[in-house]
Amino acid sequence: MNVLHFISAFFGDGAHWHGYDGIPQRLWEHVQYSLAALGIAAAIGLPVGLVTGHTGRGGNALGMVANAARSLPSFGLLVLMFLAFGIGLTPVMIPLVVLAIPPILVTTYEAVRSVDPSPVDAARGLGMHEAKILLRVELPVALPMILGALRTAAIQIISTATIAAYVSLGGLGRFVIDGLYQRDYEKVVGGATLVAALALLTLGTFWLAGRLAVSPGVRRR
Amino acid sequence: MSGDGFFDVPSDLQHSYLGLVALHLQEALIPVAGGLVLALLLAQLCVRYGWLYPPVLWGTTIFYAIPSLAIFVILIDYTGQSRTTVMIPLTLYTLVVLVPAIVDGIRSVPEETQAAATAMGFGAWRRYLRVELPIAVPAIFAGLRGATAASISLVSVGALIGNQGALGNMLTDAMFYHRPMLAVSSVVTTAVLAVLADALLVLGRNLLTPWLPRGGRSGTPAAVLPGARTDTREKLGSSR
């Protein structure tokens, strides 16, 4: 009885590859939930973090909100939302977004704050508008840290979306949760492997994104 | 006579409300303590042998990317449906925050300070304990705060592998009996524990660093944005 045996049995079984409960379907669902949650969290966290970072105002309030959000347990929030709203996408999205906003928000703020002030002053001296300074000077320098924040958020979302299956939604967690109830450890371990692989793939994607998007001048410092 | 009040816990959990709180703290804090010991050792090695730092950082980051539920499930095969199964991954998770926090903390000790300590006749071991660690205290505590909050939150997931989630067990019961109050109680209690633990850590840090300026908002960035430094370190570290 070991993990490798379970893994090969799970992936070797042709029945796991087709239909409504097949691996491609579950994987696609998991990716969809994760992307949606990351998109919503980034749409809220990035602009707020960039603007507060640029102006330097509201850092304390931001820290407090982020800390408060961090102390909420995701699994608890998930069950609570499910009991409040019933089956659906909303009760799953709320905890995932709440989970992802604090790292994005706080790190973006910190990243923009920590940009060397001399190029910013130089840009201002050249007559650049504040918005342009933020987008053309501060953002590129802060980009590695911001990408890091998005990566952390994405990993946490993928990880937590596994639990979403507990409140009857799809995704890769379906294999894990159903397998646990059916005492089908092959299925459990197979599902767990898929989630882990997806998380690693995400790490790789962000590494690649960093290679492509971060200016070479910023990279080595 | 089971009510539906905030502190009413179904008898199948075999614990009182306070019993669950104690169990939760035990399952969350032992991993943080264990992780701190491990991280202090690893960080010391990483500072001594610089080439070790990137692989350690990558290793912890990659481990952190694996969902807790997945690790619990895989461990069941070896450690059964027990508290140990929950605490092992939580211990290893803390390293992703603690190792960079300690390494950066120790590296931030100025050369002159090191040299002064050496000149005073401090050996490497004594210098580590009496000079480097105290100076790294704010950084270490920033890491500890993040690790503690995450640990307290993650214990609940243990409920999914057979009632090993302490306060999280109230969540599965909330679903099972459809008693929303149980879920409210679980979430609120867990959040309060996280906030209290954080407050205690801040207090501990202040007691350990009597030389730092207090009270003003104009202090270090860490004082302005609690928690932010940890993230920053983690991000910077692993993108290197």
Side-chain angles (χ1 to χ4, degrees):
Chain A
M1 288 295 210
N2 71 40
V3 174
L4 291 178
H5 171 74
F6 282 131
I7 292 176
S8 69
F10 177 79
F11 290 102
D13 187 346
H16 287 138
W17 288 96
H18 304 288
Y20 171 72
D21 198 24
I23 292 170
Q25 171 70 19
R26 293 296 180 217
L27 192 64
W28 176 230
E29 284 166 357
H30 205 97
V31 171
Q32 274 179 308
Y33 301 152
S34 305
L35 281 180
L38 184 65
I40 298 171
I44 300 170
L46 283 182
V48 177
L50 285 173
V51 170
T52 46
H54 180 72
T55 59
R57 295 212 185 100
N60 282 320
L62 218 112
M64 277 192 299
V65 170
N67 266 354
R70 245 177 251 213
S71 62
L72 290 171
S74 313
F75 179 46
L77 211 54
L78 183 76
V79 169
L80 204 56
M81 290 300 146
F82 174 74
L83 290 172
F85 296 105
I87 296 175
L89 206 55
T90 325
V92 173
M93 279 302 148
I94 293 174
L96 293 184
V97 171
V98 168
L99 176 77
I101 286 181
I104 297 180
L105 196 58
V106 174
T107 311
T108 307
Y109 172 87
E110 271 282 308
V112 176
R113 289 300 297 155
S114 61
V115 171
D116 184 1
S118 44
V120 176
D121 285 344
R124 199 163 282 142
L126 284 167
M128 268 187 165
H129 295 295
E130 291 302 313
K132 211 173 174 192
I133 293 176
L134 177 59
L135 292 178
R136 301 294 295 277
V137 181
E138 287 171 319
L139 182 62
V141 177
L143 195 59
M145 265 171 79
I146 294 175
L147 277 176
L150 287 173
R151 188 194 62 202
T152 306
I155 296 289
Q156 287 182 343
I157 286 174
I158 288 172
S159 181
T160 310
T162 313
I163 308 170
Y166 183 68
V167 295
S168 75
L169 230 63
L172 293 170
R174 209 56 283 151
F175 292 124
V176 181
I177 304 273
D178 291 352
L180 272 171
Y181 282 121
Q182 298 160 358
R183 308 257 156 213
D184 180 353
Y185 277 86
E186 185 184 305
K187 205 168 175 178
V188 176
V189 174
T193 312
L194 282 168
V195 187
L198 187 59
L200 290 184
L201 196 68
T202 308
L203 277 186
T205 309
F206 272 95
W207 179 81
L208 201 67
R211 287 266 125 191
L212 295 176
V214 174
S215 148
V218 176
R219 200 177 292 146
R220 268 283 149 210
R221 288 211 298 186
Chain B
M1 295 291 271
S2 120
D4 201 14
F6 191 87
F7 298 108
D8 289 321
V9 176
S11 58
D12 64 323
L13 295 182
Q14 300 184 358
H15 279 284
S16 64
Y17 173 82
L18 284 178
L20 286 177
V21 168
L23 193 63
H24 200 95
L25 286 177
Q26 185 198 339
E27 281 189 50
L29 298 185
I30 290 178
V32 175
L36 181 62
V37 172
L38 264 179
L40 282 172
L41 290 172
L42 266 176
Q44 185 59 9
L45 284 176
C46 287
V47 171
R48 188 76 50 91
Y49 310 103
W51 55 267
L52 207 60
Y53 191 36
V56 165
L57 218 48
W58 270 103
T60 52
T61 308
I62 286 174
F63 186 84
Y64 188 72
I66 307 174
S68 54
L69 182 58
I71 305 176
F72 293 164
V73 163
I74 288 169
L75 277 178
I76 287 178
D77 221 26
Y78 304 94
T79 48
Q81 299 192 344
S82 65
R83 270 172 235 167
T84 321
T85 306
V86 177
M87 297 199 300
I88 292 173
L90 291 191
T91 306
L92 296 175
Y93 277 154
T94 60
L95 297 181
V96 79
V97 199
L98 289 178
V99 171
I102 299 172
V103 169
D104 292 356
I106 291 175
R107 280 187 181 165
S108 72
V109 178
E111 292 272 337
E112 305 87 66
T113 314
Q114 300 266 23
T118 312
M120 283 170 71
F122 278 37
W125 186 236
R126 200 157 150 231
R127 199 182 60 195
Y128 180 58
L129 288 180
R130 304 291 304 277
V131 179
E132 293 172 0
L133 271 189
I135 291 181
V137 158
I140 296 175
F141 269 76
L144 271 181
R145 292 175 70 183
T148 308
S151 198
I152 290 177
S153 163
L154 273 177
V155 165
S156 300
V157 181
L160 291 175
I161 58 154
N163 274 6
Q164 294 303 337
L167 286 165
N169 298 348
M170 292 164 86
L171 295 168
T172 43
D173 265 17
M175 294 280 285
F176 197 64
Y177 301 126
H178 202 87
R179 277 175 54 182
M181 198 52 179
L182 278 178
V184 174
S185 177
S186 171
V187 171
V188 171
T189 310
T190 313
V192 168
L193 284 185
V195 169
L196 285 180
D198 197 57
L200 281 179
L201 282 172
V202 171
L203 189 72
R205 183 196 61 197
N206 290 353
L207 287 177
L208 284 173
T209 54
W211 61 86
L212 287 182
R214 291 275 166 262
R217 285 273 170 217
S218 55
T220 57
V224 178
L225 250 188
R229 305 286 294 178
T230 331
D231 279 83
T232 313
R233 285 215 168 76
E234 188 191 326
K235 281 337 102 27
L236 274 180
S238 16
S239 57
R240 237 171 242 151

